[in-house]
Structures are given as structure tokens and as C-alpha cells.
């Protein structure tokens, strides 16, 4: 009799546990109009064009999402009752972190889940129209291994200004085998100033492009022309072939893809673009100051990979500044030598919090900036 009662209690407990589990599953699973953190326009992919939705809804508030995470999974959320004017997505999709406010923290999640897709994805938004609205103005047209290509991105010209712009996003197709890093600078742009405007740039070597978006945040469009961003492409420090054959050069085309510029109502401004062809050359072929070339050739970073110490040496006493970024592009070390330039320096990574992984060491002289990939074991 006691045994039977014990079995009964076990069954009741088991059924209770199963029911609780089912309830938990029902709450976690989402079946309709689910929020995928980072896919703000709800087209099934998290990418730079979601920044345009962020710009439109910036500052708006609504119901917070229960049990919100930033993981790439469909999440149930209450509608806010406000929608993107053209794509129609409810603003709940734009609140990526689910705290009930559309603010700076939300856009970080686009980068975290960048290029992730779900079953709603049917293709990339944006145009590939050839023309002269969006173009590159290279600051240097050739670079050596370890050096950088700098160019400004221009939108509109004096004779062809762009009217009623709210935001623009595009991808830059690059030959990623030669690219070490891409840096984006939005500090100078006719689209806006600090608080009324936001710039987004993303590059990873798993995808064949760098992606950019700039948007207003205040609901007002602008008309104008000129520079909207500066981009630096850092070239890998070893390019086989170029190292051996000093007369070789490699074409390095940069093409615009999936361009989408919108007005305040998400209307497509049908922006046309043209890319550019730049060149990679052996350092000896570059028409640059002698000190730049010798700096590039003479700098030695060892050991690499390293367990702890990074030794930096040049033949000349011309290192002005050292910076070290970790794999999340966070600055972990910097030192200025100012008047007292040095020819060698030993960096002890145990002096600061430094996780193992790929680090970028930036070595600056008066004439040049060199970035080296350093692996910390
Ligand atoms: Ca999207
Ligand atoms: Ca939020």
C-alpha cells in the first residue's frame, strides 16, 4: 500500500514537472511576427540597412520584451502599435535589447548578430545602379603590404546635390584575402553632427564586404553634397608574390553593392554608385617618402605568436607612439614617446588585462602608421 502511494506521488510529481516544462517552452517559443534581435526592419537578416530603421524610430518607447535576450532567435514581444512607414515592421523589432526604449544600445546588437538570417529572408534590400551619386575619393591610390588605403566616401556633388536624405546604407565589396582590418570614421559628414546623426561600419573577414550606414536620428531630412565618411583599409602585411617580385602589382577593386538611401518616409532615393580600382604594390614601388619605406621595411615585431612579451625594434630612433587593440578592437595599451622617440620597446602584456587572441599593434612614427597582427597565446 505504501509503495503504491509512493508511485502515485512520483507520477503526480512527474506530470507537474512536464506541465511546467511545457509552459516554459510555450513562453520561449515564438510563432508569429517574432523579434530577432538586430533585424530591425524584420526582413530576415541583421545587417547595415537595419540602421535605417533605427534612425527612424530612435528615441521611441513601448512595452519592454519579457525574457528578452540578444541571442539570434525568434522572441515573442507585444506590439508597440507604431510601424516603419514603408516596410511596415512594428517598432518592437527595433528595440533589439527589449528594454522598451530605442537607444544606442540597440544598434550594437546589429553588429553582434551581423549577417545572421532566418526563414523570412528572401534577399538583400538595396540597389545596384551605376552612376555618379555615391563614389569614392581615394586619398592614396596605392598601398604596400602592411600599409593602408584611405578614401573618403562622397554622396552628391555641387552640380548634383542629394535632396531630402534621412539615411543611407551600402556595402563595399573587397578582395578580403588582402584585407587585414577596416576602420570607419564618421566624424566629418554633411548628413549631420554628433547627436543628430549616427554612423555604423562593420567588417569581418568571414564576409566579402565592409558595410556602412549613416542615418539622421531626429526625424529631419537634409539636402547637400560631399563627404559622408572616411574609410581606411589596412592591407595584410604579407602578400605572397608581391614580396618576391618587386615589380608586381595587384589590382584592388572596391565596388558599391546594395545601396539604399531613404527619405523620412523610407522612400527610396534611387542612389546610383560607382566604385574604384586601387592598386597594391611592393613597398619599393611606392612613390612615398624614403622614411616611410624604411620604416615599413625596418620594423620588427617578435616573437609572434607570443606568450607574454612583444619586442618592437626599428633601425632608426623614430617610434612616436604605440597602441595595442584586442580582438574586440578595444584599446588595451598605449604609450606616447613624444620628444623622446625610441628605436626599441618591450611590451609586457602581463601589465594589463589581455585575453589570448589576435591583437592589432599600431606603431606610429612621424611619417607613417603601421599595423601588425600579433597573436597572444
Ligand atoms: Ca534586416
Ligand atoms: Ca532598447
Amino acid at each position: 500500500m505504501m509503495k503504491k502511494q509512493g508511485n502515485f506521488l512520483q507520477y503526480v510529481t512527474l506530470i507537474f514537472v512536464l506541465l511546467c516544462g511545457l509552459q516554459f517552452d510555450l513562453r520561449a517559443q515564438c510563432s508569429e511576427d517574432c523579434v530577432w534581435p538586430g533585424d530591425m526592419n524584420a526582413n530576415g537578416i541583421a545587417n547595415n540597412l537595419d540602421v535605417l530603421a533605427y534612425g527612424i524610430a530612435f528615441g521611441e518607447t513601448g512595452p519592454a520584451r519579457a525574457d528578452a535576450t540578444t541571442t539570434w532567435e525568434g522572441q515573442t514581444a507585444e506590439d508597440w502599435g507604431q510601424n516603419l512607414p514603408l516596410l511596415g515592421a512594428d517598432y518592437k523589432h527595433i528595440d533589439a535589447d527589449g528594454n522598451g526604449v530605442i537607444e544606442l544600445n540597440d544598434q550594437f546588437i546589429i553588429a553582434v548578430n551581423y549577417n545572421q538570417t532566418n526563414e523570412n529572408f528572401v534577399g538583400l534590400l538595396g540597389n545596384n545602379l551605376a552612376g555618379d551619386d555615391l563614389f569614392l575619393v581615394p586619398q592614396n591610390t596605392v598601398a604596400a603590404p602592411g600599409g593602408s588605403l584611405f578614401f573618403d566616401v562622397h554622396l552628391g556633388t555641387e552640380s548634383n546635390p542629394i535632396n531630402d536624405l534621412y539615411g543611407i546604407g551600402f556595402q563595399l565589396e573587397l578582395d578580403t584575402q588582402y584585407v587585414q582590418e577596416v576602420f570607419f570614421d564618421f566624424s566629418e559628414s554633411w548628413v549631420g553632427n554628433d547627436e543628430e546623426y549616427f554612423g555604423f561600419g562593420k567588417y569581418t573577414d568571414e564576409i566579402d564586404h565592409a558595410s556602412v550606414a549613416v542615418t539622421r536620428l531626429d526625424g529631419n531630412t537634409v539636402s547637400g553634397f560631399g563627404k559622408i565618411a572616411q574609410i581606411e583599409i589596412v592591407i595584410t602585411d604579407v602578400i605572397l608574390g608581391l614580396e618576391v617580385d618587386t615589380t608586381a602589382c595587384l589590382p584592388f577593386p572596391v565596388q558599391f553593392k546594395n545601396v539604399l538611401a531613404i527619405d523620412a518616409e523610407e522612400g527610396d532615393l534611387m542612389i546610383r554608385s560607382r566604385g574604384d580600382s586601387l592598386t597594391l604594390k611592393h613597398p619599393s614601388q611606392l612613390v612615398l617618402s624614403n622614411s616611410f619605406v624604411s620604416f615599413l621595411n625596418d620594423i620588427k615585431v617578435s616573437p609572434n605568436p607570443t606568450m607574454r612579451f612583444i619586442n618592437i625594434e626599428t633601425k632608426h630612433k623614430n617610434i612616436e607612439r604605440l597602441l595595442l587593440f584586442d580582438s574586440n578592437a578595444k584599446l588595451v595599451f598605449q604609450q606616447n614617446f613624444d620628444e623622446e622617440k625610441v628605436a626599441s620597446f618591450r611590451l609586457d602584456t602581463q601589465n594589463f588585462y589581455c585575453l589570448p587572441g589576435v591583437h592589432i599593434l599600431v606603431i606610429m612614427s612621424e611619417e607613417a602608421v603601421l599595423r601588425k597582427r600579433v597573436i597572444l597565446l
Side-chain angles (χ1 to χ4, degrees), residues 32-136:
E32 209 179 319
D33 199 23
C34 313
V35 172
W36 292 74
D39 180 16
M40 297 181 170
N41 57 13
N43 73 331
I45 186 169
N47 69 11
N48 58 321
L49 296 185
D50 290 301
V51 172
L52 302 181
Y54 168 76
I56 288 175
F58 184 77
E60 296 292 341
T61 55
R65 190 163 78 242
D67 306 312
T69 73
T70 56
T71 310
W72 185 251
E73 61 186 8
Q75 298 178 31
T76 306
E78 196 182 326
D79 281 348
W80 285 26
Q82 286 174 284
N83 302 77
L84 288 176
L86 207 67
L87 290 175
D90 186 276
Y91 281 9
K92 67 181 180 181
H93 294 277
I94 305 170
D95 182 21
D97 66 1
N99 72 339
V101 190
I102 294 162
E103 57 189 354
L104 198 65
N105 279 342
D106 295 310
Q107 58 77 27
F108 290 121
I109 297 153
I110 299 173
V112 170
N113 289 331
Y114 190 80
N115 229 27
Q116 296 262 33
T117 55
N118 61 36
E119 68 278 5
N120 298 328
F121 179 62
V122 290
L124 293 168
L125 296 172
N127 307 307
N128 295 298
L129 305 168
D132 297 329
D133 303 323
L134 180 67
F135 55 98
L136 305 173

Side-chain angles (χ1 to χ4, degrees), residues 259-277:
V259 179
L260 182 60
I262 59 166
D263 60 22
E265 297 297 310
E266 270 191 315
D268 189 342
L269 299 181
M270 304 300 284
I271 292 297
R272 301 157 299 167
S273 61
R274 70 175 141 88
D276 224 310
S277 188

Side-chain angles (χ1 to χ4, degrees), residues 64-269:
R65 190 163 78 242
D67 306 312
T69 73
T70 56
T71 310
W72 185 251
E73 61 186 8
Q75 298 178 31
T76 306
E78 196 182 326
D79 281 348
W80 285 26
Q82 286 174 284
N83 302 77
L84 288 176
L86 207 67
L87 290 175
D90 186 276
Y91 281 9
K92 67 181 180 181
H93 294 277
I94 305 170
D95 182 21
D97 66 1
N99 72 339
V101 190
I102 294 162
E103 57 189 354
L104 198 65
N105 279 342
D106 295 310
Q107 58 77 27
F108 290 121
I109 297 153
I110 299 173
V112 170
N113 289 331
Y114 190 80
N115 229 27
Q116 296 262 33
T117 55
N118 61 36
E119 68 278 5
N120 298 328
F121 179 62
V122 290
L124 293 168
L125 296 172
N127 307 307
N128 295 298
L129 305 168
D132 297 329
D133 303 323
L134 180 67
F135 55 98
L136 305 173
V137 178
Q139 304 302 299
N140 58 333
T141 53
V142 290
S148 291
L149 290 166
F150 288 90
F151 47 83
D152 293 344
V153 179
H154 279 235
L155 178 62
T157 58
E158 194 168 5
S159 58
N160 174 35
I162 306 301
N163 295 319
D164 302 322
L165 177 76
Y166 195 73
I168 180 169
F170 54 86
Q171 297 178 345
L172 282 172
E173 213 171 46
L174 307 165
D175 196 344
T176 53
Q177 64 176 314
Y178 305 129
V179 178
Q180 181 166 299
E181 207 75 44
V182 181
F183 295 94
F184 306 87
D185 179 0
F186 301 102
S187 56
E188 230 182 280
S189 170
W190 67 261
V191 182
N193 295 315
D194 292 348
E195 280 151 27
E196 59 191 17
Y197 152 84
F198 171 74
F200 171 95
K202 169 83 178 169
Y203 172 76
T204 69
D205 51 13
E206 289 113 44
I207 50 179
D208 62 354
H209 62 258
S211 74
V212 173
V214 295
T215 180
R216 304 272 308 174
L217 298 173
D218 61 354
N220 300 316
T221 59
V222 277
S223 301
F225 61 89
K227 181 177 169 179
I228 58 167
Q230 187 187 61
I231 295 177
E232 176 187 4
I233 299 176
V234 183
I235 303 302
T236 48
D237 44 15
V238 176
I239 298 179
L240 294 174
L242 277 190
E243 289 301 319
V244 179
D245 180 358
T246 58
T247 62
C249 64
L250 290 167
F252 186 79
V254 180
Q255 294 297 340
F256 287 96
K257 297 282 277 185
N258 309 310
V259 179
L260 182 60
I262 59 166
D263 60 22
E265 297 297 310
E266 270 191 315
D268 189 342
L269 299 181

Side-chain angles (χ1 to χ4, degrees), residues 273-291:
S273 61
R274 70 175 141 88
D276 224 310
S277 188
L278 309 170
T279 310
L280 306 180
K281 286 186 175 179
H282 187 274
S284 66
Q285 280 185 281
L286 291 189
V287 187
L288 288 167
S289 70
N290 288 337
S291 52

